Every structure is written in structure tokens, then in C-alpha cells.
Amino acid sequence: DIHIDFNRLIAEHARRRPDRVAIESPDQGSRITFAELDRITTRFGHFLAARGLRTGDRVSVLADNSLEALLIFWGVLRSGAVVNPINVEIREKNIRQILHDVRPKLVLWSRDLPAELGALGEGTAPWIAFGDRHATSRPADDLFALLPDWPETPLRRSPAPTDLAIIGYTSGTTD
């Protein structure tokens, strides 16, 4: 059994090495420090809690590999919810099946994906789009536009050893 307290782990790194790079994305030409990782994922945890998400609730994430997707991944884990990253290169019918199986309380999806993927959300949990966190112009309802409104106060959530953290589907060999 592996038991990791993500809140404590990230907060401790932010305290000890705030200016060190935690994540770097050469493809995006972007990086984030431990202090930024702590701040953004803490705000994200408060955002999810305010939306009524609790320990064990599921959040599906449709995104290509990006720094923003990693921030969301860690933010979901810090909130105590279960993260369900979905490979956006699989067929739409498979994405629909995953969403049906997982029954997320919230779906977060990248604005960089084809618009038809956003249409998969009709009749399911709420969907919130996100884009580049550094974009100078973005819609007011973009996830990263909403996060600055939430506090940076520590999350008071400590995961139990039996808490589920991730629901991942493999790509399989036949899709």
C-alpha cells in the first residue's frame, strides 16, 4: 500500500524551496515553482470544495499534455477528490463510455481540444473549460480566470490510506 499526503508533500516543498522549479514544460516554454504549485493547487482545492466536491468525488480531465493539466491533476488530488485523466486521442465513443463508467461530478477540458469533445458533456456533470494560465485574454468562465478569487490558505484535508486518488484507463491495444 502506498499512502501519500499530497497536501503535506507540496506544502513542505513550497516552504523549503519556494523558488525552485517544480514542473517545466519545454514544449510550452513554461515552468512553475514549488511556491506557485502550492498556491495554485490550494486555490483549486478551495474552488472544488465550494462547488460541493467532497472526498471521493470524481473529476474527469480531458486535456493534452500540458502544464495546466498537471496543475489540475495535483489540484484535484489536494482537494481529496479522485482525478480521472482521459486520453483525448481515443475515440469519442470511448470517452463517452469512460464518462459513463466514472460518473464524474465535474469535467474539466482544455479549450485547445476540438470543439466536438466539449459537446460530449451534454446531459452529464458540469463542464468547465480551461486554457493557457498565462493567456492575457481569456473568457471570464475559464478555470484559470476563476482561481485567483479563491484563498491560498492551507487545505485542511488529509487523505486516509484507503482513499482512492486516481481512476486511469489504459489505452489498450485495440482502442
Side-chain angles (χ1 to χ4, degrees):
D1 288 346
I2 298 173
H3 175 70
I4 299 171
D5 184 337
F6 296 107
N7 283 325
R8 197 180 85 216
L9 178 71
I10 292 173
E12 183 65 21
H13 279 288
R15 186 183 65 74
R16 288 185 174 181
R17 25 186 107 65
D19 298 324
R20 287 182 111 184
V21 174
I23 304 168
E24 183 168 8
S25 174
D27 291 344
Q28 291 177 270
S30 186
R31 60 176 54 168
I32 189 164
T33 66
F34 282 108
E36 291 170 309
L37 176 64
D38 183 47
R39 186 171 49 253
I40 293 168
T41 58
T42 298
R43 285 178 173 169
F44 187 71
H46 287 290
F47 170 80
L48 292 178
R51 293 191 64 85
L53 273 83
R54 296 191 165 116
T55 300
D57 286 343
R58 297 161 182 194
V59 178
S60 293
V61 181
L62 281 87
D64 286 320
N65 293 333
S66 68
L67 196 126
E68 288 77 16
L70 278 173
L71 290 170
I72 290 168
F73 182 91
W74 286 105
V76 172
L77 290 177
R78 290 194 80 182
S79 77
V82 179
V83 66
N84 167 233
I86 298 176
N87 179 347
V88 295
E89 294 181 8
I90 63 175
R91 295 182 190 156
E92 287 181 29
K93 72 174 189 159
N94 298 95
I95 293 173
R96 284 185 205 275
Q97 185 63 49
I98 291 169
L99 292 172
H100 176 267
D101 292 348
V102 171
R103 293 188 167 105
K105 295 268 181 159
L106 179 66
V107 178
L108 302 169
W109 68 285
S110 171
R111 291 184 192 283
D112 293 337
L113 298 176
E116 54 270 10
L117 286 181
L120 294 175
E122 295 175 10
T124 64
W127 283 51
I128 298 176
F130 65 91
D132 181 343
R133 69 187 177 94
H134 289 304
T136 55
S137 172
R138 63 179 159 224
D141 64 349
D142 183 275
L143 175 65
F144 289 99
L146 299 171
L147 290 184
D149 294 338
W150 297 99
E152 296 176 12
T153 55
L155 296 163
R156 302 195 189 282
R157 164 85 180 66
S158 293
T162 57
D163 287 352
L164 188 61
I166 302 168
I167 298 176
Y169 283 71
T170 63
S171 64
T173 56
T174 59
D175 199 300

